[in-house]
């Protein structure tokens, strides 16, 4: 049975935030004893919390977990410049962590982002309920990406690129304008490579109501269209979007109509 690192992160969060409020570090051994595990797999738990802090632009909370002999974070700590650790500690100590809800609350009942993404894929209408269970933008974005990776078979909807490291989850109705369901539902998203995601977010590429790629040439002066520009953007105009096999996961008419009004 696989270990749920998010459930461990849920239990680690109050331990670390309390230590931060006390301006205190914690050793790997102490944290392992608190969780009831061996110190070695702590790196996986800390990676979950570190990723959340980086995504949410929060101080590097996991800087508090240190090697007993050296008094410094381990090699997996990348959230702060190792030559300026004292400044990092002050950032963490000064932050009002205890005013924040536990971002891993959803894992209290042993849920994982992968399980929640599968729930959204199996029934897109449950997306609002899943979002209300999570109520954290960083975790919601993880679930949204996992759902789109599944729905689009790990391929960019515009070019078919299947290198997972380059694939990103793009909202059609932007996060700030989306309701709870739209923030996490694949019907408000496209799986795009990083280049096409940037072009989409900047309005150079879009998707029509009949689900074809649209290139808004007016967004870029004509003299700047190089051969590479044409291959990557202009030549895609009018091509079909690579859609999920499950029609329920296609960008919805309502979402596409909103996008049309925004351009």
């Amino acid at each position: 049975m696989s270990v749920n690192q998010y459930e461990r992160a849920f239990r680690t969060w109050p331990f670390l935030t309390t230590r931060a409020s006390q301006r205190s570090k914690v050793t790997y051994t102490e944290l392992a004893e608190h969780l009831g595990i061996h110190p070695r797999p702590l790196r996986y738990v800390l990676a979950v919390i570190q990723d959340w802090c980086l995504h949410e632009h929060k101080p590097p909370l996991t800087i508090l977990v240190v090697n007993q002999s050296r008094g410094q974070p381990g090699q997996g700590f990348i959230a702060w410049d190792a030559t300026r650790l004292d400044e990092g500690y002050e950032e963490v100590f000064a932050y009002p962590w205890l005013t924040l809800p536990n971002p891993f609350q959803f894992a209290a009942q042993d849920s994982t982002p992968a399980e929640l993404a599968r729930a959204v894929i199996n029934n897109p209408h449950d997306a609002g309920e899943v979002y209300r269970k999570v109520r954290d933008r960083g975790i919601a974005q993880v679930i949204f990406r996992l759902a789109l990776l599944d729905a689009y078979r790990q391929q960019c909807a515009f070019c078919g690129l299947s290198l997972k490291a380059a694939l990103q989850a793009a909202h059609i109705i932007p996060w700030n304008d989306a309701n709870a369901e739209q923030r996490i539902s694949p019907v408000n998203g496209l799986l795009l490579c990083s280049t096409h995601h940037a072009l989409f977010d900047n309005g150079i590429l879009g998707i029509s109501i009949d689900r074809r790629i649209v290139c808004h040439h007016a967004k870029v002066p004509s003299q700047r269209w190089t051969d590479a520009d044409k291959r990557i953007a202009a030549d895609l105009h009018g091509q079909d979007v690579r859609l999920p096999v499950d029609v329920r996961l296609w960008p919805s008419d309502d979402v596409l109509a909103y996008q049309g009004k925004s351009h």
Side-chain angles (χ1 to χ4, degrees):
M1 184 175 180
S2 61
V3 175
N4 185 347
Q5 303 299 350
Y6 288 87
E7 189 278 332
R8 287 178 172 177
F10 166 71
R11 290 189 286 131
T12 299
W13 179 267
F15 187 74
L16 292 187
T17 54
T18 298
R19 287 299 187 97
S21 70
Q22 297 169 345
R23 299 180 63 84
S24 174
K25 301 177 186 177
V26 57
T27 66
Y28 284 92
T29 300
E30 287 179 282
L31 180 54
E33 289 175 352
H34 172 75
L35 295 176
I37 63 175
H38 191 277
R40 189 172 296 117
L42 279 179
R43 64 184 185 275
Y44 301 113
V45 187
L46 296 177
V48 169
I49 298 175
Q50 177 174 254
D51 288 348
W52 183 89
C53 291
L54 287 168
H55 186 277
E56 295 298 308
H57 306 291
K58 302 297 185 189
L61 182 62
T62 56
I63 198 174
L64 297 182
V65 186
V66 299
N67 181 288
Q68 188 165 1
S69 60
R70 296 187 299 109
Q72 292 186 347
Q75 292 182 345
F77 177 74
I78 60 169
W80 193 265
D81 184 347
T83 65
R84 299 168 43 240
L85 289 178
D86 288 344
E87 295 175 38
Y89 286 118
E90 286 307 314
E91 289 260 355
V92 170
F93 292 151
Y95 193 81
W97 297 104
L98 299 184
T99 66
L100 295 182
N102 189 325
F104 309 103
Q105 179 67 43
F106 72 92
Q109 303 302 318
D110 213 29
S111 293
T112 67
E115 290 172 350
L116 296 175
R118 282 195 294 272
V120 171
I121 287 291
N122 291 336
N123 191 347
H125 293 297
D126 288 345
E129 180 181 342
V130 170
Y131 177 76
R132 284 184 283 273
K133 182 183 293 187
V134 174
R135 290 189 176 277
D136 178 85
R137 180 167 182 167
I139 301 299
Q141 294 278 25
V142 171
I143 295 169
F144 184 59
R145 180 173 185 268
L146 289 172
L148 288 176
L149 282 167
D150 188 340
Y152 284 82
R153 306 177 301 284
Q154 293 195 182
Q155 293 183 26
C156 173
F158 285 1
C159 70
L161 184 72
S162 63
L163 298 174
K164 189 174 178 180
L167 297 174
Q168 300 177 351
H171 283 92
I172 299 173
I173 298 179
W175 175 275
N176 289 337
D177 297 334
N179 60 32
E181 181 175 329
Q182 292 165 343
R183 287 180 169 182
I184 210 166
S185 174
V187 305
N188 183 37
L190 293 166
L191 186 70
L192 298 175
C193 68
S194 55
T195 296
H196 285 129
H197 189 182
L199 295 175
F200 183 80
D201 282 354
N202 283 278
I204 296 170
L205 292 179
I207 176 173
S208 67
I209 196 69
D210 61 351
R211 297 169 184 81
R212 295 178 184 273
I213 301 170
V214 178
C215 181
H216 300 281
H217 294 74
K219 293 285 185 177
V220 181
S222 58
Q223 66 269 20
R224 293 186 58 196
W225 287 98
T226 66
D227 289 343
D229 296 333
K230 293 174 184 176
R231 287 195 304 272
I232 292 170
D235 290 351
L236 295 180
H237 184 76
Q239 292 188 21
D240 291 334
V241 174
R242 292 169 170 82
L243 294 167
V245 173
D246 189 340
V247 176
R248 298 176 308 153
L249 306 177
W250 288 12
S252 69
D253 290 345
D254 290 345
V255 165
L256 294 178
Y258 176 98
Q259 183 217 214
K261 295 174 185 176
S262 68
H263 287 299

